[in-house]
Amino acid sequence: MRKKKILTKSEQMARVRTKGTDVELALRKKLWALGLRYKLNSSLPGKPDLIFLKRKIAIFVDGCFWHGCPKHYRQPKNNDEFWRAKIQRNQERDRLVTQTLEEMNWTVIRFWEHEIENNLGACISRVMRVVA
Ligand SMILES: [Zn+2]
């Protein structure tokens, strides 16, 4: 009989984090290859994943777990109250960050991790339309 490996909570979280970083990297690489020169490490509210400074465009890649994607968020079985509250806070903060940036005349683009994973081309087109 095959034994299924049971991951600890921290192992599961580590997987989620790594995946998020991978898709963000895929987006960056493609944009860069297309000659779009974004910047990282911004000190803007919410620390966007990448920005186009002159055009005031801020891009976020939201992990399906941490940001409570309606398609992919799965409530962990343990500490469910804790996770529900935590994810809810993250979502509220996301909304506030978007609103704050928009009030500063920035254009905000938010991608779900799964959008990049499933259709990088469509995500790139969306960025191109705004940047162009
Ligand atoms: Zn998702």
Side-chain angles (χ1 to χ4, degrees):
M1 207 174 94
R2 275 181 69 198
K3 265 194 182 169
K4 198 177 164 196
K5 189 182 186 304
I6 297 172
L7 297 175
T8 65
K9 180 56 63 195
S10 63
E11 281 173 329
Q12 284 177 27
M13 294 304 118
R15 283 195 169 186
V16 168
R17 263 196 297 276
T18 311
K19 214 171 151 211
T21 313
D22 285 350
V23 294
E24 193 191 312
L25 211 61
L27 179 71
R28 282 191 207 166
K29 274 188 185 165
K30 190 71 186 168
L31 289 172
W32 197 263
L34 290 165
L36 296 173
R37 297 296 178 249
Y38 53 82
K39 288 196 181 346
L40 304 172
N41 301 323
S42 82
S43 53
L44 288 166
K47 291 198 171 63
D49 292 303
L50 46 114
I51 62 169
F52 292 95
L53 192 58
K54 278 186 211 153
R55 291 177 182 274
K56 297 185 105 177
I57 298 161
I59 301 177
F60 294 86
V61 177
D62 293 339
C64 289
F65 177 78
W66 292 105
H67 299 262
C69 166
K71 286 187 183 170
H72 302 108
Y73 177 70
R74 295 287 175 267
Q75 183 75 39
K77 287 194 173 52
N78 296 320
N79 298 321
D80 59 326
E81 274 310 312
F82 166 82
W83 286 109
R84 190 172 294 126
K86 178 163 186 67
I87 301 302
Q88 206 175 337
R89 274 199 307 277
N90 287 349
Q91 291 179 317
E92 279 161 17
R93 199 182 49 218
D94 290 343
R95 277 193 291 274
L96 187 66
V97 162
T98 298
Q99 195 189 328
T100 306
L101 286 168
E102 284 173 354
E103 281 165 7
M104 293 163 68
N105 287 319
W106 280 73
T107 301
V108 176
I109 302 177
R110 282 187 179 274
F111 290 116
W112 286 113
E113 171 188 353
H114 76 255
E115 290 181 287
I116 295 176
E117 215 169 48
N118 298 345
N119 197 342
L120 179 61
C123 297
I124 297 290
S125 306
R126 195 166 143 202
V127 175
M128 302 272 275
R129 276 197 302 276
V130 179
V131 173

